[in-house]
Amino acid sequence: MQNADLIIIGAGPGGYEAAVRAARSGLNTVIIERRAVGGTCLNEGCIPTKCLCRSAEVLEDVRQSACHGIAVGEVSFNLAEAIRRKDEVVGKLSAGIQTLMKTPGITFVQGEARFVDAHTVAAGENTYTAPHVILATGSVTRFLPIEGARSRDVVTSTEMLDLKEVPQRLCVIGGGVIGLEFASIYRSFGSEVTVVEYCKGVLPAFDRDVAKRLRMALKKRGIRIHTAAAVTRIEELSEGGSEVFFEEKGKTGTVQADLVLMAVGRAANMDVPGLDSLDVRKTPRGICVDENMQTSVPGLYAVGDVNGLCQLAHAATFQSYRALNHVLGRKDETPLTLVPAAVFTVPEVAAVGVSEEQLEAEGVTDYKAYKSFYRANGKALAMDAGDDGFVKLLAAPDGRLLGAHILGAHASDLIHEVTAWMRTGAGMDALRTTIHAHPTLSELILSAAEA
């Protein structure tokens, strides 16, 4: 048995970042990963999808180049080359993490972890013990409990990243972040795309105004969207492809597709051998933790998707820092509820803080919404990005920022200015009196504040 100060199970964003910080803080750290380093984010999620998003963006730019006086002739797209580039980017980042795992003080173990007890973990033929253990095992794809959910033509987001050819007809079950990103990507690649979403609108966790405008923008691109539609079954067709059946407003609807993407969310990965033998409180959402990410078992922490608090890679990273700081006895004042989120559709979506719907649900009526529109921004018009975008800021009567919601080009970048304002506690007056460079998209934040 080998002694350590800290054991981390999982080398995704909630694992490897904490391992490096722990080692640099003097802790003898063991990190165990049964698959590839980088977790879902690097290998099956954030990074590879953004590579394909970029390929889709370039393809759209080339198609629209004529209005800039650039004639390119007939445009063709090679999916295999886009996949190759994606693999190359993932490989570079993976190599970087593998190098980090060689940091002095880190013992990296490739294999499946299994609990012997709350502070003893085995992997392969070796056993490790430590007073502190961090679970960072991430999440797995959910499947609807319906007939045909795992049939021939049904794939998950993982398989979508390695397709050999662009499907002529793609049906996406789920209008959340994952579903809409792939819908947007493969529409650019040439697929006929239909989205079927159970809730009343797409992106149900996001601001209603943003979701409605995004839906209109996607429809303009030719993506068919059914909302308030419950998928009931999937049937394989003898001639190839499948038929998806759903109930929408009391009527049965169907869509035929060559490929069906199951994108109905992800579930906490609590499938760790030996975990069930420990007195760890759980819910269907994930492992229960306190404000320091500690479970009901002292010295055992759970961070990232596995605790079900916020299924975002950057949230996992900062949750792991909170757990590590607790281990080290350090004060941590990071507001873990202030987490920006981004959706890489065309156009992009980003948000931080609360939405109007959340305020209404809490009975809060004393707030004000401020808006600005991309169509009035010089840089947006110069970028051909003035059609659908807008910025919405929500503020309390004293000017304190409560939330921000952005639809449009570079929304994923713009949201961080508002996040910083909210982090410091500065209000609308400070924002209004901060000079922004012209012409930039950042002026949209200033324009909203001045509305």
Side-chain angles (χ1 to χ4, degrees):
M1 183 178 293
Q2 301 180 37
N3 295 319
D5 298 312
L6 174 66
I7 298 171
I8 300 174
I9 301 175
Y16 75 82
E17 298 271 17
V20 173
R21 282 203 175 191
R24 290 173 179 171
S25 298
L27 298 184
N28 179 11
T29 303
V30 174
I31 181 167
I32 305 170
E33 173 57 60
R34 67 180 178 182
R35 299 176 65 193
V37 296
T40 297
C41 175
L42 175 56
N43 298 287
E44 303 168 2
C46 316
I47 302 303
T49 56
K50 301 317 161 284
C51 289
L52 296 186
C53 282
R54 174 57 180 160
S55 295
E57 180 183 41
V58 172
L59 185 56
E60 294 290 357
D61 285 345
V62 172
R63 287 170 175 159
Q64 298 168 18
S65 64
C67 67
H68 296 276
I70 304 171
V72 295
E74 185 177 352
V75 179
S76 63
F77 172 67
N78 187 325
L79 178 61
E81 188 61 20
I83 298 294
R84 183 206 61 77
R85 175 183 172 273
K86 178 265 296 182
D87 290 340
E88 185 178 88
V89 171
V90 170
K92 288 179 180 178
L93 292 172
S94 178
I97 297 174
Q98 291 169 6
T99 299
L100 287 175
M101 293 300 92
K102 297 176 182 178
T103 299
I106 292 179
T107 299
F108 177 72
V109 180
Q110 188 77 59
E112 183 175 52
R114 60 187 185 279
F115 280 100
V116 178
D117 59 45
H119 301 287
T120 306
V121 180
E125 298 180 355
N126 296 317
T127 304
Y128 308 88
T129 184
H132 309 285
V133 179
I134 296 177
L135 265 175
T137 50
S139 59
V140 294
T141 301
R142 290 182 186 272
F143 282 82
L144 289 179
I146 59 171
E147 179 185 347
R150 296 178 183 268
S151 58
R152 178 190 61 202
D153 302 310
V154 178
V155 299
T156 70
S157 57
T158 300
E159 291 79 41
M160 288 295 294
L161 296 168
D162 289 303
L163 295 184
K164 302 302 181 184
E165 59 184 25
V166 176
Q168 180 180 340
R169 301 167 300 172
L170 172 65
C171 178
V172 179
I173 301 177
V177 175
I178 296 172
L180 292 190
E181 285 187 349
F182 277 110
S184 181
I185 290 167
Y186 275 86
R187 179 59 188 147
S188 293
F189 289 173
S191 295
E192 298 172 11
V193 181
T194 301
V195 176
V196 184
E197 166 57 42
Y198 177 78
C199 294
K200 292 181 180 180
V202 297
L203 292 184
F206 282 72
D207 176 84
R208 186 166 50 222
D209 284 349
V210 166
K212 286 180 178 179
R213 287 175 177 266
L214 176 62
R215 177 175 180 169
M216 290 188 291
L218 294 177
K219 288 181 71 174
K220 282 196 294 185
R221 293 182 57 205
I223 296 175
R224 293 183 290 273
I225 300 175
H226 298 272
T227 53
V231 176
T232 56
R233 72 183 191 276
I234 302 168
E235 291 185 4
E236 296 179 2
L237 300 174
S238 58
E239 64 270 24
S242 293
E243 189 163 16
V244 178
F245 292 78
F246 55 90
E247 295 295 327
E248 182 180 13
K249 299 176 182 177
K251 298 181 180 179
T252 298
T254 67
V255 57
Q256 293 187 354
D258 302 297
L259 200 65
V260 179
L261 170 60
M262 185 69 69
V264 292
R266 298 181 65 84
N269 179 20
M270 298 181 280
D271 184 22
V272 182
L275 180 62
D276 287 341
S277 66
L278 307 180
D279 188 23
V280 176
R281 287 200 300 272
K282 307 173 188 174
T283 71
R285 289 178 57 87
I287 295 174
C288 300
V289 295
D290 63 15
E291 68 276 8
N292 293 308
M293 304 299 120
Q294 189 167 212
T295 70
S296 53
V297 176
L300 177 61
Y301 301 80
V303 303
D305 290 2
V306 73
N307 65 29
L309 295 179
C310 181
Q311 291 188 342
L312 294 171
H314 43 288
T317 297
F318 278 86
Q319 287 178 12
S320 74
Y321 294 164
R322 172 65 63 83
L324 178 59
N325 284 332
H326 190 250
V327 168
L328 294 169
R330 295 174 179 171
K331 190 174 184 180
D332 187 334
E333 297 181 343
T334 302
L336 295 180
T337 57
L338 187 62
V339 183
V343 187
F344 293 86
T345 45
V346 177
E348 289 184 359
V349 171
V352 67
V354 298
S355 65
E356 288 197 74
E357 293 71 44
Q358 288 173 308
L359 291 172
E360 291 171 4
E362 295 169 4
V364 178
T365 58
D366 197 10
Y367 70 91
K368 185 173 180 180
Y370 302 81
K371 293 183 181 180
S372 65
F373 295 89
Y374 274 61
R375 62 176 178 265
N377 179 271
K379 181 65 180 294
L381 293 177
M383 294 170 58
D384 298 323
D387 289 344
D388 306 294
F390 78 105
V391 172
K392 178 199 283 189
L393 303 179
L394 302 176
D398 61 3
R400 180 171 45 88
L401 280 160
L402 302 174
H405 307 274
I406 305 175
L407 172 73
H410 296 280
S412 59
D413 302 309
L414 295 174
I415 199 65
H416 294 95
E417 177 180 351
V418 186
T419 304
W421 283 115
M422 293 177 68
R423 176 68 180 89
T424 60
M428 296 292 284
D429 286 341
L431 177 52
R432 292 186 187 105
T433 54
T434 298
I435 299 173
H436 288 61
H438 176 76
T440 64
L441 293 179
S442 294
E443 290 177 289
L444 285 157
I445 306 295
L446 178 61
S447 296
E450 293 177 335

